[in-house]
Amino acid sequence: MEIKTVAVIGAGVMGGGIAAQIANAGVKVLLLDIVPKNTDNRSVVAQSAIQKLLKVKPAALMHKRNAKLITAGNLEDNLNDLAHVDWIIEVIIENLDLKQALYKKIDAVRKTSCIVSSNTSTLPLADLAVGLSKSFRHHFLITHFFNPPRYMRLLEIVEGPDTKPGITDTLCHFCDHQLGKGIVKCNDTPGFIANRIGAYWMQTAMLECMRLDLSVDEADAICGRPMGFPKTGVFGLMDLIGLDLMPHILDSMMHSLPKSDAFHEQAHIPDVVNSMISEGYTGRKGKGGFYRLNKSAGKKTKESVDLKTGKYARSETAALDSLKPSIANELKKLVSFDDKGGEFAWSVLSKTLTYSAGLIPEIGDNIEAIDRAMKLGYNWKHGPFELIDKIGVDWFIDKLESKQQPIPAILAAAKNKTFYRFEAGQRQCLNLTGEYRTLKREEGIVLLEDIKRQQQPVKKNASASLWDIGDSVLCLEFHSKMNSIDPDILAMIDTAVAIIPNKYKALVLYNEADNYSVGANIGLALFAANVAAWAQIEAMVKSGQDTYKALKHAPFPVIGAPAGMALGGGCESLLHCDAIQAHAESYIGLVEVGVGLIPAWGGSKEVLTRCMLDPKRAKGPMPAISKAFEIISTATVSTSAAEAKSHLFMAKSDGITMNRERLLFDAKNKALSMLPDYSPIEVEEISLPGATARTALNLAVASFVQAGKVTEYDGVIADQLALVLSGDETDIADLHSEDDLLTLERKAFMALIKQDKTLNRVQHMLETGKPLRN
């Protein structure tokens, strides 16, 4: 069975988000909700939800045109339309009677092959399926999405005893390949996996924070990056989720779980939190939560709540001894440290990890699935069992025994072992019997982390490595700090260009960091500028230009495979590839103007050329030049790979992979598909109008300066960009080669790097990570 059309019933925040992600996959969606009273527009609820999707931040839609794939309707006039869809997702309120009544209506009209699933996060499938037809139960299961559905990769799937295996397989394939989800199959237990452990963890952290008299800021500083949890910390995360959801989650868990479950010990909401909720302090969606922004006195001040008094005060940087880098950077030292931060870390971590271990085999017997659920659903860097390995299984058991804390069976089975190990390059995990089983990737998933365990790099330096990924294809991995492009990375690109023609067939630019590349290492340029080493800086610029030019015209296919941010010099590396296979969540752009510079490793040249050769552009050179000027001067960054095509950072023929784990496989296949009859990219020459275009662009910028929308120095930067895009001193009859444009890029770059205001912007960016307007 193939899923071609989907219906989502329930047009609230979650239902709308699920519909948006399905539309992002290019699949038609029918979005239905009730007919409200006293209105002439019977589908207003679903229509309003679609309008909200076009405005919400962060964007639910990867491109605004995707909204056209969502059709609004209502459950009275459009119920029969469900007969034509392949999958129906119920996303209504958590009320068993209402859900079952809806299922009976659906069963009366659905086609017999149609899959039906519930997005419930609290109700057992066994209860939902009571009284439903045999055919319905064969096609019924739970698909628990996490909010926001576009960005949260976890999808928990719960099958019933009557669910046909083929139904689950069809749904898993669709959600994996087309929605980009990480699938975790769960047992039919309260909260499934992620919310069962996640809710326990958050409650434990809140109550232990109050017991130990820590501030919110101190608790989040401990229960965040040092422990591999989201950088928001636990209180920041609760603000994001919504404090008002806590009572509902806890009530559901307390009602569903046996009294013997340790969850009951933590299922208490302090009076101060209840007061916050009643007063509208429900988190980011309300007036604030554990944190708020005080906008009085004409500026924004971050404040945090005092958990004893409920009063707010300016947030202060935590200054616990346990947060010193020598302690906080090593988890075992942190949980052993003798201050209240160390005690808090041990208390939260030990209780959370032993609770997680004690849930085996109730919620599942696969520890890898549990770790995966917490990483994908709660953004933990390491899952519970990976964390135990990190601090040491035997050390953890000994400390639990010394504190007279219980030892779960799976933890006892791991004594003198680790939960994970590598055997002959294969990752294995422990089970309850104390034996290991090999973990196998799904077909079509190729990860560089696996390849790196099985072989040595073909070539390697401090910032980049070349790996053989099979079929005579090499992968070039960046691994500098934040994957910033530096001379070592450029040297490795040169190496790849030199060795591939003799032994290999193609190259893929790819890595598995959070971001493909944040851009060039501008710190090197700043250091050289501070000692007036202008010749050295120009040589660095020329080196980057030469390397990217050689990459572009290499005698073999080069595929860029970005995920996350690909900015500045990182974006420029992609612009010089034959093709791109991007993860859907790729944020691509040229941001050099933010530090007072222009793209000078061929980025200005490539964007200009693409605009000039765009078949849809208006006649004459100025529309194309103006578009290139707008893209670069405003530091445009795409909010998705789909949007990157609109900005010409990607070509229409470039591919998009929804599931990041499948990106390398898809990129390699794209490279292999280009091998037959491959020929390098042809050299293009373009004609430019010269001074008239530069004047026109500067006049446009001058109006923005006069209106106070940009600074005078922004105008200086824009003038140098206009110099490049106009062709400088030229005639419309002249043709400009790549080298001509690269020369102009260097000229403009060198003019700007010598300016104090540019150097101030670079310095400010390095120190704060934020652009300076001067």
Side-chain angles (χ1 to χ4, degrees), residues 26-46:
V27 176
K28 292 181 178 179
V29 193
L30 177 63
L31 182 61
L32 305 181
D33 210 301
I34 61 170
V35 177
K37 295 179 181 179
N38 304 318
T39 180
D40 294 330
N41 185 352
R42 293 168 61 82
S43 298
V44 66
V45 176

Side-chain angles (χ1 to χ4, degrees), residues 270-289:
D271 291 341
V272 66
V273 177
N274 281 322
S275 296
M276 289 169 64
I277 295 171
S278 65
E279 293 171 11
Y281 288 95
T282 55
R284 294 190 187 183
K285 64 185 178 183
K287 295 190 291 184

Side-chain angles (χ1 to χ4, degrees), residues 108 132 191 195 331 333 385 393 434 463 485 506 568 623 625 655 689 706 745 762:
L132 300 176
N195 280 347
L331 190 55
K333 286 184 178 180
F385 298 96
V393 172
S463 299
I485 310 295
I625 293 172
Q706 189 172 10
E745 283 187 355
V762 173

Side-chain angles (χ1 to χ4, degrees), residues 257-270:
L257 293 173
K259 295 296 182 184
S260 58
D261 194 285
F263 197 101
H264 287 275
E265 299 172 10
Q266 308 298 329
H268 165 66
I269 298 179

